[in-house]
């Protein structure tokens, strides 16, 4: 079976984990945690990084830090991974959905303004599948209406919007280091920001809301959202080779696009003029009537794939009428993530694309 994803681990990860274990600093303090926060923040061009136990908790912290809660509204694309939307619900705020752009698959800026009400506090932008969202018009709207901009960059480590790293273009950003993300710590996440006060608030909420001046004095309802030093050890090793990882991912994308772009019915993942895509998951769109059959065909041929996310407004907790977000619904029904792990070989890509061609020629 060719899997959709496999972490890209090497000697360094082992070496650092061993060092963490031998030092006995295996819990949520230690050298690797400090280094990973510092170096990752530096990599995404942020002043502060706050490591967490996963990318959902780091999103939750961004909302807590911004003091968003009951009665507030947060604008978010309906076409996203469910964690973006759930984090908004965790603080008691209401997710307000916006449709997607059919080309870059991210939130459509021109549809945001009509969703703003006096209760709106923030726009949560999600940079999906490695491709940045179009930030400039979003920043402009946010400024006009005095809204925070949260970036969910869980799928886009290192992606560039007009030359700037995503995650630090808005007010506050969040990354995930789950096993299949661009870099991984097993489970993990990080909040990044240039705002010292927001970073301190994230730290505070992440560590049970304990006062920095008085032991066991908890001045807010906090959480235990800490990352361990062992996880950070893996993260640091991963970060040290992120350039190589991204190079491999671009090469994989080129090899796929070269072989798939001329097949009628297939639309390959692209790259806007203003964007540098990191191709987290190489993805294609096919006619919805063919999608599941193609995935099944590939599975029969030992090739694992994933369908795109269901838009949140289709899922039971957030159910709204169908048809209000046509682009998101079409994307959700058309998309397939192909195997995209960094060590995927050109021969494997040849096999996968060969089977896709075969599928479309069978009929
Ligand atoms: C993976 C992901 C998250 C959540 O990250 P976890 O580390 O799995 O909690 C959030 N948003 C998006 C868009 C993601 O892809």
């Amino acid at each position: 079976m060719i899997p959709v994803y496999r972490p890209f681990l090497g000697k360094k990860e082992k070496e650092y984990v061993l060092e963490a274990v031998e030092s006995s600093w295996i819990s949520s303090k230690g050298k690797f945690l400090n280094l990973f926060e510092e170096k990752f923040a530096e990599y995404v061009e942020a002043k502060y990084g706050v490591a967490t136990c996963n990318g959902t908790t780091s999103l939750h912290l961004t909302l807590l830090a911004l003091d968003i809660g009951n009665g507030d509204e947060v604008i978010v694309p309906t076409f996203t991974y469910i964690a973006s939307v759930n984090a908004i619900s965790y603080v008691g705020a209401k997710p307000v959905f916006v449709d997607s752009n059919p080309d870059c698959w991210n939130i459509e800026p021109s549809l945001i303004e009509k969703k703003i009400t006096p209760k709106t506090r923030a726009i949560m932008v999600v940079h999906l599948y490695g491709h940045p969202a179009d930030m400039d018009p979003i920043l402009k709207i946010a400024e006009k209406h005095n809204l925070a901009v949260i970036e969910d960059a869980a799928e886009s480590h290192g992606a560039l919007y007009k030359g700037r790293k995503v995650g630090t273009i808005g007010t506050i950003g969040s990354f995930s280091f789950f096993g299949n993300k661009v870099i991984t710590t097993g489970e993990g996440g990080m909040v990044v920001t240039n705002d010292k006060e927001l970073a301190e608030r994230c730290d505070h909420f992440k560590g049970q809301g304990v006062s920095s001046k008085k032991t066991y004095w908890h001045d807010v309802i906090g959480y235990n959202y800490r990352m361990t030093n062992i996880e950070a050890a893996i993260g640091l090793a991963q970060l040290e080779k992120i350039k190589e990882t991204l190079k491999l991912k671009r090469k994989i994308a080129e090899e796929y696009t070269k072989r798939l772009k001329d097949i009628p019915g297939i639309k390959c993942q692209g790259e806007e003029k203003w964007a540098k895509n990191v191709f987290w998951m190489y993805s294609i769109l096919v006619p919805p009537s063919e999608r599941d059959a193609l995935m099944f065909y590939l599975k029969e041929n030992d090739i694992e794939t994933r369908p795109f996310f269901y838009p949140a407004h289709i899922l039971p907790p957030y159910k709204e009428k169908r048809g209000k977000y046509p682009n998101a619904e079409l994307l959700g029904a058309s998309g397939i993530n192909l195997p995209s792990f960094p060590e995927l070989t050109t021969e494997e890509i040849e096999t996968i694309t060969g089977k896709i061609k075969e599928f479309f020629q069978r009929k």
Side-chain angles (χ1 to χ4, degrees):
M1 193 77 160
I2 305 177
V4 161
Y5 223 88
R6 182 196 299 152
F8 182 34
L9 301 170
K11 274 227 279 291
K12 262 284 164 62
E13 284 82 353
K14 252 197 227 167
E15 196 184 304
Y16 288 176
V17 166
L18 207 65
E19 190 184 327
V21 173
E22 280 172 350
S23 75
S24 88
W25 290 95
I26 59 167
S27 199
S28 49
K29 275 199 181 112
K31 161 183 151 184
F32 290 110
L33 260 174
N34 298 337
L35 272 173
F36 184 47
E37 283 184 334
E38 181 190 318
K39 299 284 178 196
F40 188 78
E42 192 180 300
Y43 175 72
V44 296
E45 299 156 10
K47 281 201 187 125
Y48 309 99
V50 180
T52 67
C53 52
N54 61 59
T56 309
T57 54
S58 67
L59 271 176
H60 186 189
L61 287 177
T62 65
L63 291 145
L64 290 165
L66 289 164
D67 199 24
I68 291 171
N70 252 325
D72 293 332
E73 293 178 358
V74 177
I75 286 174
V76 65
T78 180
F79 183 60
T80 181
Y81 181 56
I82 195 64
S84 330
V85 181
N86 282 346
I88 298 168
S89 301
Y90 295 164
V91 296
K94 181 183 171 209
V96 174
F97 299 131
V98 168
D99 204 1
S100 304
N101 177 285
D103 297 320
C104 77
W105 309 343
N106 291 313
I107 192 166
E108 170 53 49
S110 67
L111 300 173
I112 291 175
E113 222 164 359
K114 67 179 80 139
K115 292 292 182 108
I116 294 174
T117 74
K119 292 179 180 168
T120 311
R121 292 280 318 280
I123 303 169
M124 184 185 286
V125 175
V126 190
H127 306 291
L128 280 175
Y129 300 121
H131 195 293
D134 190 3
M135 292 301 288
D136 276 347
I138 296 169
L139 294 173
K140 219 162 147 185
I141 295 164
E143 192 176 357
K144 183 173 155 198
H145 298 272
N146 196 23
L147 307 174
V149 174
I150 301 165
E151 291 179 76
D152 181 355
E155 302 181 357
S156 293
H157 316 57
L160 300 178
Y161 175 72
K162 299 187 179 171
R164 292 182 61 188
K165 292 252 170 67
V166 301
T168 49
I169 300 168
T171 318
I172 191 164
S174 169
F175 286 88
S176 162
F177 306 116
F178 182 65
N180 66 10
K181 300 294 162 90
V182 174
I183 66 169
T184 184
T185 59
E187 293 272 7
M190 199 177 305
V191 177
V192 296
T193 181
N194 289 319
D195 185 319
K196 186 159 185 246
E197 197 192 322
L198 290 178
E200 283 171 356
R201 283 176 61 82
C202 287
D203 246 332
H204 189 54
F205 279 108
K206 152 187 160 177
Q208 304 283 26
V210 72
S211 156
S212 56
K213 298 182 187 76
K214 221 162 143 183
T215 308
Y216 294 127
W217 187 260
H218 306 274
D219 47 22
V220 294
I221 298 178
Y223 301 84
N224 175 0
Y225 282 174
R226 295 181 291 249
M227 177 184 273
T228 68
N229 198 45
I230 297 179
E231 291 165 326
I234 299 172
L236 185 67
Q238 288 271 293
L239 183 62
E240 285 174 357
K241 66 176 183 201
I242 191 170
K243 272 207 182 109
E244 184 195 346
T245 305
L246 293 180
K247 217 162 115 189
L248 290 170
K249 293 179 88 64
R250 271 197 92 80
K251 174 91 167 89
I252 288 167
E254 275 165 30
E255 297 292 340
Y256 268 126
T257 303
K258 200 160 76 187
R259 292 171 174 79
L260 294 176
K261 69 179 184 344
D262 296 323
I263 302 180
I266 294 187
K267 191 179 165 202
C268 297
Q269 187 176 11
E271 189 172 51
E272 296 292 327
K273 287 190 301 290
W274 37 261
K276 182 136 189 205
N277 190 347
V278 290
F279 295 100
W280 168 53
M281 286 276 180
Y282 188 83
S283 307
I284 56 172
L285 304 180
V286 300
S289 56
E290 315 262 26
R291 200 263 305 264
D292 292 357
L294 172 57
M295 288 180 62
F296 184 75
Y297 187 73
L298 292 173
K299 190 174 159 212
E300 294 282 282
N301 284 285
D302 292 329
I303 297 161
E304 190 192 20
T305 59
R306 291 276 157 75
F308 271 18
F309 308 122
Y310 291 100
H313 74 275
I314 285 180
L315 299 172
Y318 300 107
K319 204 162 172 54
E320 291 182 26
K321 263 210 316 277
R322 286 192 189 234
K324 283 162 62 179
Y325 312 98
N327 295 336
E329 285 177 18
L330 186 60
L331 284 168
S334 311
I336 301 179
N337 305 131
L338 299 176
S340 310
F341 55 95
E343 290 162 297
L344 187 70
T345 63
T346 303
E347 292 74 59
E348 285 170 320
I349 294 173
E350 187 66 41
T351 305
I352 297 161
T353 54
K355 289 293 167 194
I356 295 173
K357 277 180 205 160
E358 219 174 82
F359 173 83
F360 280 101
Q361 279 161 4
R362 272 187 333 156
K363 297 173 295 127

